[in-house]
Amino acid sequence: MSVLFLLISALVLLYFGVGGTVAGVVMTLTTLFGMFEDDWHILSILIGGVLLAFALILVFPGGLRRNRLSRPLLGWVRDRLPSLSDTEAEALKSGSVDWDGELFSGRPEWDKLMDAPHAHLNQAEQAFVDGPVETLCGMLDDWKITNELYDLPQEAWEFIKKEGFFGLVIPEEYGGKGFSATAHSEIVMKVSTRSVSAAVTVMVPNSLGPGELLMHYGTDEQKQYYLPRLAKGEEVPCFALTSPVAGSDAGAIPDKGIVCRGQWKGEEVLGLKVTWNKRYITLAPVATLIGLAIKVYDPDGLMGGEEDLGVTCVMIPHDLEGVHHGARHLPMNTVFMNGPTWGEDVFIPLSQVIGGEGMVGRGWTMLLECLSIGRSISLPALGTGAGKLACLTTGAYAGIREQFGRSISHFEGVQEALEPIAGYTYMMDAGRLLTSGMLDRGVRPSVPSAVLKYRNTDLMRKVINHAMDVVAGRGVITGPRNFLARAYQAVPIGITVEGANILTRSLMIFGQGAIRCHPYIVDEIEAAGMEDEEQAVRAFDDVFYNHMAHTTRNALRSFVLGLSHGWLEPVPGRGGLQRYYRQLARFTSAFAVLTDVTLLTIGGGLKARQRLSGRMADCLVALYYASAIIKQWHEEGYPEDNRPVVEWGLQRCLYDFQNAMKTLIENFPVPALRWPLKLLVFPIGAWLKAPDDRLGEEVALSIVKDAPVRERIVRGVYQPVDPNDPVGRVLHAYNMANACRDARERLNEAIRKTDPDELQDIEMLMAHQRSELVDWAIEKNVIREDERDTLIEALSALYDVIRVDAFDGDAIKSLAECSEGKLSEVARP
């Protein structure tokens, strides 16, 4: 009994996270009570006493524990910890941990999420969105931009510069707007619903680039000179990172700068002779200030240090001798300025290093910290904008498009496509706002930025594909009437740039997160790397046993909560989401356990196990977006009309987590652990289901019906009122259809009851002579005379929506002439 009582007390203490003196006292008392129950039997005293002594050694630090346990364990752990490249080591030092750390802990504190300040716009930011952003959107004709001008119209360029779109995040003291990350996100999102090309043009100068880097690392002189010029659009920036041969491997950048002396403005100064060859660089063809990531070498020791000084960020004025740019890439028929830039032996002084001479070799850290900002805003906002545009237009189209006398939104097959359009868009928006709120609090979310970029661009692809299925032939015909074509074509851009999604999912999200966000791994890596062995043992001893308790506690929680369906976990009662909190509790514990098991068994081989890493990333993505949905609904005051889309999103996240974890365990690289892990995580099976058809129908119709929930989902979209605009045409027809819904339903009912011999004539009137059709309905006492004009206008608008563009021979020839001479290949080194 002494052994049994000791074991039970130890497990209970671990489960509730109780340690130290309290744990020692409780285990001692329970062991003594067990000995008493055994009538102080010699075996009970010996075995129970030995096990108690060992437990107390583990609980209380001391020389015995350090020398007999920690020292040999440190050598073993050194072989298991993942090895880090220089760039990965820098990545660990950059950014900060926020809610992602809570998810890795295995027991997130939900009050921290709910109490954190949420993303919002101040009065000036909202005025800018409602004013200049609205005006800019009205200036943009996406068909002309992408098929005739191959550029934004000149007046749009001038407006963007004049109104400060290039200086959204630059502080007011330097002539910028000084807007928050949330405002930046809202602006990019709204512009993207009008023109992807314009959105990219606006977002790039405000994310990764000279401006962002100068704000955080620039010298006072650099800030005073460049930031006002960037804010006013007097300088157009670009930042060149990607090299043809390096691709995603930033550590293999071949572009270089050699420390030397040279002439600058008539004086001999110490500087760099820079050679580079970059491609896929947005704004490069029009940039006046080129930011570069290069490797700096000092072969002659002019800076008094090592020869290889490391990655460095520099600024190159476009008009220096040897600088080349101007050729253009055309990314999937979006025409934002993008192209190569290259130069050979271009001399710049060290004053052109961002941050000055002292920041030579610090470029990788600078890029990592600022990249998390851009990746948290730009592409996630663009993905959300595409989703909102699809909800606005496809929901309206499905509501007014009729087949067989009924709205196609009533067909279950169409609802199956509308359901994820609405649900995923709400999910994207929630994730976007959770992360921008972190940025506004000063967090540099390196892991959440990777999660958000990957997931929002992936969901953009899913949503737009579903929207194309609903709109069908109306969506595949090229022309100025098409409201989905550009979003569909732009999908691969978001998937590919700023870290390709394959790389982000399979290497970055979990690979960095498992170490960066883990409560103990970083400390263990630092201890293992210490040169002083005694110091290393002490540091390791301080953290290792807490780590083991953490792992054991999460294993117990995962198993117990799995058995109890989460009912043993105390959860918040706000919003009536208790059953979702319970499942998130057991899944976060399971995720934490699998993180530790993976690091313990795979260790340094994790980089090669990209299927495993990718599935763990999928689990983290599901937990993050479930958290974002809960946070978003909390901030909005739990409106009941939003409950269906909220519950749909939570059910989808939990179901996705379950499937990813189940597949991961079934394919775990250590076969002997598969059954124990399955028992630990799914003790009574994987029983969660995807959202059912009833809930799916409610979510699908949430973007069809003219109701507050539809307005909430599409909030932030540019909504033109011009009935000749591709989007405005759909909205006009939708509004007209809603205005005479009752009359249309009576008309459709009368047509369905029409004698078959007369039906063919009626169908001809429906297609070509809508006024005669309405007159027929009035004659049959189906429609009142006072409804005639409104119904005719509505029927005309509905027919106008389903029309597509058609080009005669001369029109096709005109389109070809627009492109003539613009698409020739430009030779370059």
Side-chain angles (χ1 to χ4, degrees):
M1 297 298 289
S2 62
V3 174
L4 179 62
F5 284 3
L6 172 61
L7 179 61
I8 291 174
S9 64
L11 291 176
V12 171
L13 290 166
L14 278 169
Y15 186 90
F16 289 104
V18 178
T21 302
V22 173
V25 171
V26 169
M27 288 189 294
T28 300
L29 291 176
T30 54
T31 305
L32 291 173
F33 182 74
M35 293 176 183
F36 171 78
E37 288 291 308
D38 288 331
D39 293 327
W40 303 103
H41 192 281
I42 187 64
L43 288 178
S44 179
I45 294 173
L46 287 174
I47 298 174
V50 170
L51 291 177
L52 175 61
F54 183 74
L56 293 177
I57 289 172
L58 292 178
V59 170
F60 295 107
L64 182 60
R65 189 178 81 175
R66 283 195 297 271
N67 292 318
R68 297 299 181 184
L69 294 177
S70 299
R71 192 177 299 276
L73 279 171
L74 176 58
W76 179 79
V77 167
R78 278 175 171 150
D79 295 332
R80 310 308 304 168
L81 289 174
S83 61
L84 301 176
S85 66
D86 291 340
T87 54
E88 288 170 326
E90 289 290 341
L92 283 181
K93 299 174 186 176
S94 66
S96 46
V97 177
D98 195 80
W99 183 248
D100 44 326
E102 290 292 317
L103 296 177
F104 272 93
S105 75
R107 194 171 189 175
E109 297 184 27
W110 295 105
D111 285 343
K112 285 186 178 181
L113 179 68
M114 300 308 166
D115 294 342
H118 194 47
H120 69 281
L121 302 182
N122 62 33
Q123 187 174 0
E125 292 167 344
Q126 188 63 61
F128 190 83
V129 171
D130 295 337
V133 176
E134 187 83 4
T135 301
L136 174 62
C137 289
M139 299 170 69
L140 304 172
D141 182 327
D142 200 53
W143 172 258
K144 289 183 179 180
I145 290 170
T146 56
N147 288 273
E148 297 176 12
L149 300 175
Y150 283 86
D151 190 6
L152 304 183
Q154 186 59 38
E155 58 269 25
W157 274 105
E158 293 173 358
F159 186 82
I160 286 170
K161 294 177 180 179
K162 176 185 175 184
E163 296 297 327
F165 280 84
F166 284 171
L168 297 176
V169 299
I170 293 175
E172 292 182 83
E173 62 185 289
Y174 297 109
K177 297 294 182 182
F179 284 169
S180 64
T182 299
H184 181 192
S185 177
E186 289 286 336
I187 292 165
V188 170
M189 184 183 72
K190 185 167 186 174
V191 176
S192 74
T193 64
R194 188 58 171 170
S195 167
V196 173
S197 299
V200 174
T201 301
V202 168
M203 75 190 192
V204 167
N206 291 289
S207 56
L208 179 63
E212 183 77 29
L213 294 171
L214 284 169
M215 285 165 50
H216 289 91
Y217 305 104
T219 65
D220 289 340
E221 184 180 357
Q222 289 172 342
K223 291 178 181 179
Q224 293 292 339
Y225 180 77
Y226 280 115
L227 289 181
R229 296 172 62 82
L230 290 167
K232 297 175 184 177
E234 294 174 5
E235 297 276 10
V236 177
C238 72
F239 195 87
L241 178 61
T242 305
S243 300
V245 296
S248 297
D249 184 4
I253 294 174
D255 313 285
K256 62 185 180 180
I258 306 299
V259 179
C260 64
R261 303 195 70 84
Q263 292 293 316
W264 182 260
K265 297 182 179 179
E267 296 183 16
E268 184 179 81
V269 296
L270 187 64
L272 302 173
K273 190 173 290 185
V274 184
T275 298
W276 73 96
N277 181 9
K278 306 283 191 177
R279 66 178 179 182
Y280 309 148
I281 311 305
T282 299
L283 296 184
V286 294
T288 62
L289 183 65
I290 304 168
L292 288 177
I294 60 174
K295 284 186 175 179
V296 172
Y297 302 92
D298 186 11
D300 298 326
L302 297 178
M303 295 185 66
E306 300 178 358
E307 178 177 345
D308 186 350
L309 299 180
V311 176
T312 301
C313 296
V314 301
M315 298 175 290
I316 310 284
H318 77 292
D319 54 359
L320 294 182
E321 185 178 353
V323 176
H324 301 280
H325 61 90
R328 291 181 61 185
H329 306 310
L330 293 178
M332 295 301 293
N333 203 36
T334 53
V335 297
F336 58 86
M337 289 292 170
N338 187 281
T341 174
W342 68 99
E344 186 171 353
D345 292 338
V346 177
F347 181 80
I348 58 170
L350 291 180
S351 60
Q352 293 299 114
V353 173
I354 297 178
E357 183 176 340
M359 294 301 289
V360 172
R362 298 282 306 279
W364 187 235
T365 299
M366 296 162 61
L367 291 173
L368 285 169
E369 292 187 351
C370 289
L371 186 61
S372 68
I373 300 172
R375 297 180 86 213
S376 298
I377 297 174
S378 301
L379 292 173
L382 193 148
T384 306
K388 287 176 178 279
L389 179 66
C391 289
L392 178 75
T393 55
T394 309
Y397 184 85
I400 61 180
R401 181 74 167 101
E402 295 179 346
Q403 293 280 272
F404 312 109
R406 289 196 304 162
S407 163
I408 64 172
S409 65
H410 295 157
F411 300 160
E412 290 189 357
V414 173
Q415 289 175 1
E416 278 191 291
L418 292 173
E419 175 187 338
I421 294 174
Y424 282 148
T425 297
Y426 187 92
M427 192 183 298
M428 283 192 281
D429 202 30
R432 177 184 70 90
L433 291 171
L434 173 62
T435 315
S436 70
M438 290 181 190
L439 288 165
D440 289 339
R441 300 197 308 270
V443 177
R444 293 294 178 263
S446 56
V447 174
S449 70
V451 167
L452 194 67
K453 186 274 173 183
Y454 159 67
R455 188 58 169 162
N456 267 30
T457 55
D458 184 56
L459 291 181
M460 174 187 178
R461 170 165 54 188
K462 289 180 170 63
V463 165
I464 294 300
N465 280 341
H466 284 303
M468 292 293 284
D469 286 347
V470 173
V471 178
R474 174 70 177 78
V476 300
I477 302 301
T478 293
R481 287 174 169 266
N482 196 316
F483 51 81
L484 283 178
R486 205 66 58 241
Y488 182 80
Q489 289 178 308
V491 163
I493 300 172
I495 297 292
T496 301
V497 303
E498 290 191 18
N501 277 11
I502 290 177
L503 169 74
T504 302
R505 173 181 177 268
S506 61
L507 286 175
M508 293 180 63
I509 292 176
F510 181 70
Q512 291 185 11
I515 300 174
R516 187 73 183 85
C517 302
H518 195 284
Y520 302 108
I521 287 290
V522 172
D523 292 336
E524 289 174 339
I525 290 176
E526 290 178 353
M530 291 179 178
E531 295 182 1
D532 186 321
E533 186 66 13
E534 290 303 317
Q535 185 183 3
V537 171
R538 285 183 175 275
F540 178 75
D541 182 79
D542 288 342
V543 69
F544 178 76
Y545 300 97
N546 289 328
H547 186 174
M548 291 301 98
H550 164 84
T551 303
T552 307
R553 180 168 57 251
N554 279 318
L556 286 170
R557 281 172 46 78
S558 178
F559 180 71
V560 171
L561 294 176
L563 282 176
S564 66
H565 286 205
W567 279 96
L568 296 180
E569 179 75 2
V571 297
R574 293 171 291 189
L577 299 176
Q578 290 91 331
R579 64 189 179 114
Y580 300 111
Y581 280 118
R582 293 188 182 106
Q583 297 313 310
L584 286 169
R586 61 178 284 241
F587 281 161
T588 51
S589 292
F591 179 73
V593 171
L594 262 293
T595 297
D596 281 326
V597 171
T598 297
L599 293 174
L600 180 67
T601 58
I602 307 301
L606 182 60
K607 295 176 190 176
R609 299 287 186 175
Q610 294 173 20
R611 292 178 188 267
L612 168 63
S613 181
R615 288 165 185 148
M616 286 295 285
D618 292 339
C619 291
L620 180 59
V621 164
L623 295 175
Y624 189 81
Y625 276 80
S627 304
I629 292 168
I630 291 173
K631 172 68 169 174
Q632 183 62 33
W633 201 37
H634 168 74
E635 294 297 333
E636 293 177 347
Y638 303 110
E640 276 301 311
D641 57 352
N642 283 8
R643 181 178 287 277
V645 73
V646 167
E647 295 207 0
W648 186 95
L650 291 172
Q651 290 179 27
R652 172 55 60 183
C653 287
L654 291 170
Y655 183 69
D656 288 347
F657 180 100
Q658 173 185 268
N659 288 349
M661 182 62 73
K662 183 173 179 289
T663 304
L664 186 155
I665 292 172
E666 290 171 347
N667 294 276
F668 199 76
V670 183
L673 291 177
R674 292 173 186 171
W675 183 83
L677 288 174
K678 185 175 182 181
L679 179 65
L680 194 67
V681 178
F682 301 112
I684 57 175
W687 51 271
L688 291 180
K689 305 295 183 184
D692 62 23
D693 291 347
R694 179 199 58 78
L695 181 59
E697 180 181 1
E698 286 188 76
V699 172
L701 295 180
S702 68
I703 57 172
V704 174
K705 297 177 180 178
D706 187 14
V709 64
R710 171 179 157 90
E711 290 304 310
R712 162 61 190 87
I713 293 174
V714 304
R715 185 176 62 198
V717 177
Y718 176 70
Q719 300 189 34
V721 296
D722 182 1
N724 294 315
D725 180 273
V727 174
R729 180 177 288 110
V730 180
L731 298 182
H732 173 66
Y734 179 73
N735 292 333
M736 291 301 304
N738 287 330
C740 60
R741 182 179 301 280
D742 181 62
R744 286 195 306 114
E745 289 177 351
R746 282 184 272 120
L747 176 62
N748 287 335
E749 181 66 18
I751 292 172
R752 282 193 292 270
K753 294 179 178 179
T754 298
D755 183 276
D757 293 334
E758 188 181 1
L759 184 59
Q760 185 174 357
D761 294 335
I762 298 302
E763 290 175 341
M764 183 67 69
L765 292 176
M766 289 173 62
H768 300 291
Q769 295 175 299
R770 285 166 290 282
S771 59
E772 284 83 350
L773 174 64
V774 174
D775 289 340
W776 169 86
I778 292 174
E779 183 180 329
K780 297 291 186 180
N781 293 320
V782 174
I783 303 297
R784 301 189 307 272
E785 182 66 39
D786 64 326
E787 297 174 313
R788 182 179 187 278
D789 291 344
T790 301
L791 185 56
I792 291 174
E793 184 179 357
L795 293 176
S796 298
L798 294 176
Y799 179 73
D800 190 41
V801 163
I802 66 174
R803 291 178 57 201
V804 297
D805 297 288
F807 300 92
D808 59 23
D810 290 339
I812 295 292
K813 182 178 179 181
S814 177
L815 285 175
E817 289 174 351
C818 287
S819 300
E820 186 176 358
K822 294 183 179 180
L823 303 180
S824 60
E825 182 178 352
V826 177
R828 53 175 303 281

